[in-house]
Amino acid sequence: MNRNTANKKKVRQSSGQQEIDWLILFEKIYTSKKQILLTCSIGAVIGLIVALGTPKEYTASIFIVPESSRRATSSGISTLSDVVGTGMNSSSTTERDAIYSVLYPAIIHSTPFLVRLFDIKIRGLKDNTVITLSQYLKEHQKCPWWNSVTSIPSKLVGWCMTMIQEKPKVEKVNSSINIFQLTREEAAIAGIISSRTSVGIDETGRRRKITLSVTMQDPQVAAIVVDTILEHLKEYVTEYRTSKSRRMLEYTEKLRKEAQAEYYKAQEKYTRYADINQGLVRQTSRAELTRLRNEMNLALTIYNQTELQVQAAEVKVKKATPVLAVIQPPIVPLTPSKPRKMVILAGCIFLAGAGSISWILFAKDFVEGFLRNIRRKRKTSEDEYNQMVVDD
């Protein structure tokens, strides 16, 4: 019983010490409230400077729904395939694709896709001058004012280096962009476009829904760029999906031209021989005329078959063309999406207040104790030195 009562007393003493510690911490904060308010005010001023100094940016978005799968054949294609006998599969099967909608973000952020956007024509909402997107990103981008201040040392170093070293003359032979080896400027522009483009995929429900967004400092430029990215994405996916069908179409068109030429040649031979031997009753002439007629009919049959093959290939190309249903077309945004001034202001005030409280509760006592120990050691060393001088 004595041990239990002793343990209970220890627990009560420890809980009482914790309560006293919390009260001491609260008292420290309360006594330093002026310092905390001053620090929060400084944080608010910094937040206002950051929020007002950051350029406005606008976000334009497109909401699309891609087709989930595609059937390889239909009744029309089956009929044509059965007639011409081209070996096309007339059963209803679903073709597999290597490019799915989940890969659209990787496609849009790939280097070849980004390089295609360099030369698209854009114009601003206030400035109607038509320029390229790369020129707009190089010459018409606003930066916060403090970037000009922080970049002064690097500019001075670069200027001094250019004065010391002679800049070699670089002759640009080809004006086209080499995707295999981009320059620093081209790589920087591609990175800017990639960072300002986002693709969100929502897989809830039976169909995937894709949101394509572009953020620019000009609202009209953002809308133009996001619309162009959608068109390039359609061309990219269509190029992949219809590549096999288009190759088959080119092959069947080549066969049709050859069959057409053979038919015209056989027809010319038959009509010429019939005109020359008109009115003759010799069996050899009749046999030759029959042979030429059969060759002409055979060439006509082959020509008709190749014509049906071309029609079947054209239908297959149309069926293979992907469908991207645009639910929400691009619209020029009216309100900026960045910067979020209230979030920046609240964040700066919170960080200033949290830093001030942390300094009052933890860092202040540690720093003061550290400095006090240094002064004490210095004083003791001076006293020892003085004592040594007196003894001497």
Coordinates of all heavy atoms in Angstrom, one line a residue, residues 200-237:
G200 N -4.9 16.2 -66.7 CA -5.5 15.5 -65.6 C -6.5 14.4 -66.2 O -7.3 14.7 -67.0
I201 N -6.4 13.2 -65.6 CA -7.2 12.1 -66.1 C -8.0 11.6 -64.9 O -7.5 11.3 -63.8 CB -6.3 10.9 -66.6 CG1 -5.5 11.4 -67.8 CG2 -7.2 9.7 -67.0 CD1 -4.5 10.3 -68.3
D202 N -9.3 11.6 -65.1 CA -10.3 11.1 -64.1 C -10.9 9.8 -64.6 O -11.5 9.7 -65.6 CB -11.4 12.2 -64.0 CG -12.4 11.8 -62.9 OD1 -12.1 10.8 -62.1 OD2 -13.5 12.4 -62.8
E203 N -10.5 8.7 -63.9 CA -10.9 7.4 -64.3 C -12.2 6.9 -63.5 O -12.5 5.7 -63.6 CB -9.8 6.4 -64.0 CG -8.5 6.7 -64.9 CD -7.5 5.6 -64.8 OE1 -7.8 4.6 -64.1 OE2 -6.4 5.8 -65.3
T204 N -12.9 7.8 -62.9 CA -14.1 7.4 -62.2 C -15.2 7.2 -63.2 O -15.3 7.9 -64.2 CB -14.6 8.5 -61.2 OG1 -14.7 9.7 -61.9 CG2 -13.5 8.6 -60.1
G205 N -16.0 6.1 -63.1 CA -17.1 5.8 -64.0 C -16.6 4.9 -65.1 O -15.5 4.3 -65.1
R206 N -17.4 4.7 -66.1 CA -17.1 3.8 -67.2 C -16.1 4.4 -68.2 O -15.4 3.6 -68.9 CB -18.4 3.4 -67.9 CG -19.3 2.6 -67.0 CD -20.6 2.3 -67.8 NE -20.3 1.4 -68.9 CZ -21.2 0.9 -69.8 NH1 -22.5 1.3 -69.6 NH2 -20.8 0.1 -70.7
R207 N -16.0 5.7 -68.4 CA -15.2 6.3 -69.3 C -14.2 7.2 -68.7 O -14.5 7.8 -67.6 CB -16.0 7.1 -70.4 CG -16.9 6.2 -71.3 CD -17.6 7.1 -72.3 NE -18.3 6.3 -73.2 CZ -17.8 5.8 -74.3 NH1 -16.6 6.0 -74.7 NH2 -18.6 5.0 -75.1
R208 N -13.0 7.3 -69.3 CA -12.0 8.2 -68.8 C -12.3 9.6 -69.3 O -12.6 9.8 -70.4 CB -10.6 7.8 -69.2 CG -10.1 6.5 -68.6 CD -8.7 6.3 -69.0 NE -8.1 5.1 -68.4 CZ -8.1 3.9 -68.9 NH1 -8.6 3.7 -70.1 NH2 -7.6 2.9 -68.2
K209 N -12.2 10.6 -68.4 CA -12.4 12.0 -68.7 C -11.1 12.7 -68.5 O -10.4 12.5 -67.5 CB -13.5 12.6 -67.8 CG -14.8 11.9 -68.0 CD -15.9 12.4 -67.0 CE -15.7 11.8 -65.7 NZ -16.0 10.3 -65.7
I210 N -10.7 13.5 -69.5 CA -9.4 14.1 -69.5 C -9.6 15.6 -69.5 O -10.4 16.2 -70.3 CB -8.6 13.7 -70.8 CG1 -8.4 12.2 -70.8 CG2 -7.3 14.4 -70.9 CD1 -7.7 11.7 -72.0
T211 N -8.8 16.3 -68.7 CA -8.8 17.8 -68.6 C -7.5 18.3 -69.0 O -6.5 18.0 -68.4 CB -9.2 18.3 -67.2 OG1 -10.5 17.7 -66.8 CG2 -9.3 19.8 -67.2
L212 N -7.4 19.1 -70.1 CA -6.2 19.6 -70.6 C -6.1 21.1 -70.3 O -7.1 21.8 -70.7 CB -6.1 19.4 -72.1 CG -4.9 19.9 -72.9 CD1 -3.6 19.3 -72.3 CD2 -5.0 19.7 -74.4
S213 N -5.1 21.6 -69.6 CA -5.0 22.9 -69.1 C -3.7 23.5 -69.5 O -2.6 22.9 -69.5 CB -5.2 23.0 -67.6 OG -6.4 22.5 -67.2
V214 N -3.7 24.8 -69.8 CA -2.5 25.6 -70.2 C -2.6 26.9 -69.4 O -3.6 27.6 -69.4 CB -2.4 25.9 -71.7 CG1 -1.2 26.8 -72.0 CG2 -2.1 24.6 -72.4
T215 N -1.5 27.3 -68.8 CA -1.4 28.5 -68.0 C -0.4 29.5 -68.7 O 0.8 29.1 -68.9 CB -0.9 28.2 -66.6 OG1 -1.9 27.3 -66.0 CG2 -0.9 29.5 -65.7
M216 N -0.8 30.7 -69.0 CA 0.0 31.7 -69.6 C -0.3 33.0 -68.9 O -1.4 33.2 -68.3 CB -0.3 31.8 -71.1 CG 0.2 30.6 -71.9 SD 2.0 30.5 -72.0 CE 2.2 28.9 -72.8
Q217 N 0.5 34.0 -69.2 CA 0.3 35.3 -68.6 C -0.7 36.1 -69.4 O -1.2 37.1 -68.9 CB 1.6 36.1 -68.6 CG 2.6 35.6 -67.6 CD 3.9 36.4 -67.5 OE1 4.0 37.4 -68.1 NE2 4.8 35.9 -66.7
D218 N -1.0 35.7 -70.6 CA -2.1 36.3 -71.4 C -3.2 35.3 -71.6 O -3.0 34.2 -72.0 CB -1.5 36.7 -72.8 CG -2.5 37.6 -73.6 OD1 -3.5 37.0 -74.1 OD2 -2.3 38.8 -73.7
P219 N -4.5 35.7 -71.3 CA -5.6 34.8 -71.3 C -5.9 34.2 -72.7 O -6.2 33.1 -72.9 CB -6.8 35.6 -70.8 CG -6.4 37.0 -71.0 CD -4.9 37.1 -70.8
Q220 N -5.7 35.1 -73.8 CA -6.0 34.7 -75.1 C -4.9 33.7 -75.6 O -5.2 32.7 -76.3 CB -6.1 35.9 -76.1 CG -6.5 35.5 -77.5 CD -6.9 36.7 -78.3 OE1 -7.7 37.5 -77.8 NE2 -6.4 36.9 -79.5
V221 N -3.7 33.9 -75.2 CA -2.6 33.0 -75.6 C -2.8 31.6 -75.0 O -2.6 30.6 -75.6 CB -1.2 33.6 -75.2 CG1 -0.1 32.6 -75.4 CG2 -0.9 34.9 -75.9
A222 N -3.3 31.6 -73.7 CA -3.6 30.3 -73.1 C -4.6 29.6 -73.8 O -4.5 28.3 -74.0 CB -4.0 30.6 -71.6
A223 N -5.7 30.3 -74.3 CA -6.8 29.6 -75.0 C -6.3 29.1 -76.3 O -6.6 28.0 -76.8 CB -7.9 30.5 -75.2
I224 N -5.5 29.9 -77.0 CA -5.0 29.4 -78.4 C -4.1 28.2 -78.2 O -4.1 27.3 -79.0 CB -4.2 30.6 -79.0 CG1 -5.2 31.7 -79.4 CG2 -3.5 30.1 -80.3 CD1 -4.6 33.0 -79.9
V225 N -3.2 28.3 -77.2 CA -2.2 27.2 -77.1 C -2.9 25.9 -76.7 O -2.6 24.8 -77.2 CB -1.2 27.5 -76.0 CG1 -0.2 26.4 -75.7 CG2 -0.3 28.7 -76.5
V226 N -3.9 25.9 -75.8 CA -4.6 24.7 -75.4 C -5.4 24.1 -76.5 O -5.5 22.9 -76.7 CB -5.5 24.9 -74.1 CG1 -6.7 25.7 -74.5 CG2 -5.8 23.6 -73.4
D227 N -6.0 25.0 -77.4 CA -6.7 24.5 -78.5 C -5.8 23.8 -79.5 O -6.1 22.8 -80.1 CB -7.5 25.6 -79.2 CG -8.4 25.2 -80.3 OD1 -9.2 24.3 -80.1 OD2 -8.2 25.6 -81.4
T228 N -4.6 24.4 -79.7 CA -3.6 23.9 -80.7 C -3.0 22.5 -80.2 O -2.8 21.6 -80.9 CB -2.4 24.9 -80.9 OG1 -3.0 26.1 -81.3 CG2 -1.5 24.4 -81.9
I229 N -2.8 22.4 -78.9 CA -2.4 21.2 -78.3 C -3.4 20.1 -78.5 O -3.0 18.9 -78.9 CB -2.1 21.3 -76.8 CG1 -0.8 22.2 -76.6 CG2 -1.9 20.0 -76.1 CD1 -0.5 22.5 -75.2
L230 N -4.7 20.4 -78.4 CA -5.7 19.4 -78.6 C -5.7 18.9 -80.1 O -5.8 17.7 -80.4 CB -7.1 20.0 -78.3 CG -8.3 19.0 -78.6 CD1 -8.2 17.8 -77.8 CD2 -9.6 19.8 -78.3
E231 N -5.5 19.9 -81.0 CA -5.5 19.5 -82.5 C -4.2 18.7 -82.8 O -4.3 17.7 -83.5 CB -5.4 20.8 -83.3 CG -6.7 21.6 -83.2 CD -7.9 20.8 -83.7 OE1 -7.8 20.0 -84.6 OE2 -9.0 21.0 -83.1
H232 N -3.1 19.0 -82.2 CA -1.9 18.2 -82.4 C -2.0 16.8 -81.8 O -1.5 15.8 -82.3 CB -0.7 18.9 -81.8 CG -0.2 20.1 -82.6 ND1 -0.8 20.4 -83.8 CD2 0.8 21.0 -82.4 CE1 -0.2 21.5 -84.3 NE2 0.8 21.8 -83.5
L233 N -2.7 16.7 -80.7 CA -2.9 15.4 -80.0 C -3.8 14.6 -80.9 O -3.6 13.3 -81.1 CB -3.6 15.6 -78.6 CG -3.8 14.3 -77.8 CD1 -2.6 13.6 -77.6 CD2 -4.6 14.7 -76.5
K234 N -4.9 15.1 -81.5 CA -5.7 14.4 -82.4 C -4.9 13.9 -83.6 O -5.1 12.7 -84.0 CB -6.9 15.3 -82.9 CG -7.9 15.6 -81.8 CD -9.0 16.4 -82.4 CE -10.1 16.7 -81.4 NZ -11.2 17.6 -82.0
E235 N -4.1 14.7 -84.2 CA -3.3 14.3 -85.3 C -2.3 13.2 -84.9 O -2.1 12.3 -85.7 CB -2.5 15.5 -85.8 CG -3.4 16.6 -86.5 CD -2.5 17.8 -86.9 OE1 -1.3 17.8 -86.8 OE2 -3.1 18.8 -87.4
Y236 N -1.7 13.3 -83.7 CA -0.8 12.3 -83.3 C -1.4 10.9 -83.2 O -1.0 9.9 -83.7 CB -0.1 12.7 -82.0 CG 1.0 11.8 -81.5 CD1 2.3 12.1 -81.8 CD2 0.7 10.7 -80.7 CE1 3.3 11.3 -81.3 CE2 1.7 9.9 -80.3 CZ 3.0 10.2 -80.6 OH 4.0 9.4 -80.1
V237 N -2.6 10.9 -82.5 CA -3.3 9.6 -82.2 C -3.8 9.1 -83.5 O -3.8 7.9 -83.8 CB -4.4 9.8 -81.2 CG1 -5.1 8.5 -80.9 CG2 -3.8 10.3 -79.9

